Amino acid sequence: MPGFSVDTKLFRELGELLVGRESTALVELIKNAYDADATKVTILGEGIAKANGRIIVTDNGVGMTETEFTEGFLRIAGRSKLGADRRSPWFQRRYTGEKGVGRLAAHKLARLIKIISRRWNGKDRDPVAGFPSDEIIDAAINWDKIEALDSINEIETSDAITLNSDSSFGRSSGTTLTLSPLRKQWTERDREQFVDEVATLTPPEVLVEPLRSTVAAAPPLLDKLNVRDELRPGGFEVSYAGDLALSESELPAEAESASWIIEIDCDKDKRRLRISVLPTRKTQAEFTNAESFVLNRKLEETDPLVGFQARLFQMSNGQWPKRYQGVRVYFEGFRVLPYGDSRDDWLQLDRDYRSRGHTELGRLRKRTGWDLPVGNDKEMLAIQGNTAFFGAVLITRSGADELEMLVNREGFIPSKQFDFITETVRLAIDLQVRLRYAATSEVKQARQITRDRQQRAAQRAASGQAPTAYNLRELHEVARQSLNNARLAISTGRAEDAEAEFVQLEENLLSAVELGDEVISEATMFRVVASLGLEHAAFIHEVRSPFPQCANA
């Protein structure tokens, strides 16, 4: 009977379709380790800039048997991880890998993959040593030999795939993948791009761990954020070594650099949305009127059934390190590209920053019945772009069961659930913009009033006289006149007129106290300016001294 035949070119076609870039390929291999109950994964790069470079991925998971390798690792689009609630054997993690993309990821990276895997024997896991093992497999897949064949059916009778198994005692379980030789020689730019994308592969701890007391000016909404859906928490750590090691300069900034903290908790079961916006201690010290706000609302029946959490740090006068700018999305603890990339504007922050104008924030104006802080027709001028934010949106499969990733693993297929997440995160950012504008606008108005007064005084003052000193002298004359008027009113029995003069005298004295503070500030500034002038003169003298002709010029 006639039947289908599949050309071995399928591996290359699927690899290019399902795995867009090297970082995506490594993420899929790391996900396989996570699904295998690993708590630690190491990515080692050796000679990646050379023709014979290699990448080694090592984990301490449960490993594979010979049967699991042939029916799992070698089966494309397998069903082993499909099901309503399929979970890993020990930590009971929701599976993240699917469609056999990990195998194609290996094809994307290298021409040959060698697999050494020690299988867990089912006994209890040791907290330090990990899973005990008594079986090992040694396998290899040569992609060049596979593609030299005409049909997939010919692979079984060729030596393109080798597999051996043996007993192994006294060693912990785990898997090591050696990818070599790499399909391309990595340039420095390739490495930098890779580091940019994997530095935030998992959420930075500062975004998910409890906030230090030195950061928040008030108790945060969330203590520790829920990163993954695992019934027996065990932690998961990814480290990079060799040519792929992350340098200290690539670590994120401290939370103390933030000006405001935004937190979101959308509870799917309770159908309740909570948003918290609070100033940091640094901001409250600068703007004493900065206030926090918590929105607590029951979700509407028309809202999608979705649950997620988020924490964002905002910086008012500066930018976060380039590698950490933007708001990233994490699904079961792994970053979903391209959300948060420098050229991705999924929250439309850069777009609104470029088109900002004198108007109230539209999202907040449409929700007038929500008892939100009062808006201002200039608040949109305070909108910032993605570079001012460093944040993570955390989604789990149980919280958003309708979300499906695109075929190339970069982004979600459009859906009501993701639209709701996007709108909610942007709503929280707009609330922060409103609170920040309210806190800073009063201070800016006060500074403007001071500048206007100084300017008027400078126009009336004599040359060389400080504006604040001139204002103090004027207040002195006005106060002396008020005192004389009060004495005259008392001597003639006009008590009400005397009281009015004393009230005016008190106001003038308070103004004098404020101006006294300004005089101190001005004196300090004059000393700084004088010091700069002397330093500049000394510098000019040193430059000209070796060249007498310059001094006479």
Side-chain angles (χ1 to χ4, degrees):
M1 294 292 292
F4 286 104
S5 63
V6 181
D7 195 290
T8 55
K9 184 183 177 184
L10 175 70
F11 290 107
R12 185 167 66 251
E13 296 290 339
L14 286 178
E16 294 297 325
L17 177 66
L18 296 178
V19 185
R21 36 187 152 177
E22 281 71 18
S23 57
T24 306
L26 276 175
V27 167
E28 293 302 324
L29 296 177
I30 293 170
K31 284 182 179 180
N32 284 349
Y34 173 82
D35 291 343
D37 276 332
T39 58
K40 185 179 295 184
V41 180
T42 300
I43 311 295
L44 172 64
E46 294 183 341
I48 61 175
K50 302 176 183 178
N52 59 347
R54 65 179 184 171
I55 294 176
I56 303 173
V57 182
T58 306
D59 71 64
N60 63 346
V62 297
M64 294 179 286
T65 64
E66 184 175 347
T67 301
E68 287 169 336
F69 176 76
T70 56
E71 296 184 0
F73 195 90
L74 293 182
R75 184 184 292 271
I76 306 299
R79 305 181 186 181
S80 62
K81 297 180 181 180
L82 299 180
D85 194 26
R86 294 282 294 168
R87 294 179 179 269
S88 62
W90 182 261
F91 292 116
Q92 294 292 289
R93 296 167 171 168
R94 285 292 298 264
Y95 284 130
T96 59
E98 52 186 317
K99 300 182 177 69
V101 178
R103 301 60 157 165
L104 301 173
H107 178 277
K108 169 80 174 181
L109 290 168
R111 300 180 181 279
L112 175 67
I113 176 173
K114 294 181 180 179
I115 304 104
I116 296 178
S117 186
R118 292 180 173 85
R119 174 60 175 163
W120 173 42
N121 60 17
K123 297 180 180 180
D124 285 348
R125 179 181 184 273
D126 184 275
V128 178
F131 299 102
S133 171
D134 52 26
E135 181 182 356
I136 184 174
I137 65 168
D138 186 346
I141 303 174
N142 190 316
W143 295 109
D144 285 348
K145 288 185 177 181
I146 289 176
E147 292 182 8
L149 302 173
D150 292 329
S151 171
I152 288 180
N153 296 333
E154 299 176 20
I155 297 177
E156 189 172 351
T157 57
S158 72
D159 62 347
I161 299 178
T162 60
L163 173 62
N164 298 294
S165 62
D166 201 353
S167 299
S168 175
F169 298 96
R171 297 287 299 273
S172 299
S173 69
T175 300
T176 298
L177 307 178
T178 302
L179 306 161
S180 176
L182 299 178
R183 289 192 178 273
K184 73 172 188 177
Q185 300 176 30
W186 288 43
T187 65
E188 184 59 28
R189 182 175 180 181
D190 291 332
R191 183 199 171 277
E192 289 178 0
Q193 182 179 355
F194 169 80
V195 171
D196 284 343
E197 293 170 353
V198 302
T200 52
L201 169 62
T202 56
E205 287 190 5
V206 68
L207 290 175
V208 297
E209 294 297 323
L211 291 174
R212 294 187 290 270
S213 58
T214 56
V215 179
L221 177 69
L222 301 170
D223 183 24
K224 184 176 181 179
L225 279 68
N226 182 32
V227 179
R228 300 178 177 90
D229 180 9
E230 51 183 0
L231 302 183
R232 184 187 290 177
F236 186 72
E237 175 188 349
V238 182
S239 60
Y240 302 90
D243 295 343
L244 298 177
L246 306 183
S247 66
E248 288 297 321
S249 62
E250 291 156 356
L251 299 178
E254 293 293 326
E256 280 80 3
S257 301
S259 303
W260 292 80
I261 302 168
I262 304 170
E263 292 184 321
I264 305 172
D265 180 33
C266 186
D267 193 310
K268 179 180 178 180
D269 298 327
K270 297 179 180 179
R271 291 194 63 80
R272 180 159 294 279
L273 172 65
R274 295 186 299 161
I275 298 176
S276 167
V277 180
L278 65 153
T280 60
R281 291 188 180 277
K282 180 182 72 172
T283 296
Q284 200 159 59
E286 183 178 2
F287 305 101
T288 55
N289 62 328
E291 297 181 351
S292 59
F293 176 79
V294 176
L295 173 69
N296 192 335
R297 283 190 59 81
K298 192 78 173 176
L299 293 177
E300 304 290 343
E301 291 298 326
T302 55
D303 291 328
L305 194 61
V306 61
F308 72 99
Q309 292 181 330
R311 177 179 287 163
L312 287 66
F313 292 145
Q314 180 269 348
M315 185 182 293
S316 295
N317 299 310
Q319 298 180 351
W320 293 100
K322 183 178 179 182
R323 200 154 278 141
Y324 298 90
Q325 294 172 359
V327 180
R328 290 166 173 79
V329 177
Y330 295 86
F331 193 56
E332 289 293 350
F334 294 101
R335 185 184 168 196
V336 181
L337 293 170
Y339 309 115
D341 279 353
S342 59
R343 283 180 279 185
D344 178 74
D345 192 26
W346 71 285
L347 293 170
Q348 299 184 341
L349 288 171
D350 288 342
R351 187 202 68 172
D352 288 352
Y353 174 73
R354 290 190 295 266
S355 61
R356 64 193 185 281
H358 290 255
T359 183
E360 186 179 347
L361 291 164
R363 285 179 180 81
L364 303 185
R365 186 174 60 247
K366 291 189 296 185
R367 294 169 171 84
T368 54
W370 283 21
D371 194 24
L372 301 177
V374 178
N376 187 288
D377 60 0
K378 294 182 180 180
E379 63 187 7
M380 194 170 183
L381 292 172
I383 280 184
Q384 296 172 288
N386 287 296
T387 59
F389 294 92
F390 166 40
V393 178
L394 306 173
I395 310 170
T396 62
R397 171 61 68 187
S398 57
D401 53 358
E402 296 179 10
L403 285 184
E404 294 291 339
M405 296 185 68
L406 294 171
V407 69
N408 65 350
R409 326 302 294 155
E410 297 182 12
F412 291 109
I413 296 173
S415 67
K416 291 183 179 180
Q417 284 191 338
F418 192 69
D419 288 344
F420 176 82
I421 293 172
T422 303
E423 181 67 15
T424 302
V425 175
R426 182 55 201 270
L427 174 69
I429 292 176
D430 285 357
L431 275 171
Q432 181 271 326
V433 172
R434 173 168 289 183
L435 291 172
R436 172 174 170 259
Y437 182 81
T440 58
S441 60
E442 292 183 12
V443 174
K444 290 179 180 178
Q445 291 171 4
R447 290 173 180 170
Q448 183 62 45
I449 292 172
T450 301
R451 284 196 296 268
D452 292 344
R453 185 181 67 240
Q454 296 275 40
Q455 187 174 4
R456 291 193 299 270
Q459 293 172 351
R460 300 195 304 271
S463 176
Q465 187 176 19
T468 305
Y470 178 80
N471 280 328
L472 272 175
R473 187 175 295 278
E474 278 194 335
L475 279 175
H476 175 265
E477 292 298 327
V478 172
R480 192 164 62 84
Q481 186 62 45
S482 295
L483 187 59
N484 290 336
N485 292 340
R487 287 173 177 168
L488 180 61
I490 292 173
S491 64
T492 57
R494 292 181 288 112
E496 292 183 358
D497 291 345
E499 182 180 2
E501 291 293 340
F502 279 126
V503 170
Q504 182 64 42
L505 177 61
E506 183 180 14
E507 292 179 356
N508 290 335
L509 289 175
L510 289 174
S511 298
V513 170
E514 293 178 358
L515 287 175
D517 293 337
E518 290 184 17
V519 169
I520 295 174
S521 177
E522 280 186 358
T524 303
M525 183 59 68
F526 288 152
R527 286 195 293 271
V528 172
V529 172
S531 175
L532 289 174
L534 290 174
E535 296 241 354
H536 181 263
F539 174 73
I540 295 298
H541 177 72
E542 289 182 10
V543 170
R544 288 183 172 181
S545 58
F547 307 101
Q549 65 273 21
C550 295
N552 298 325

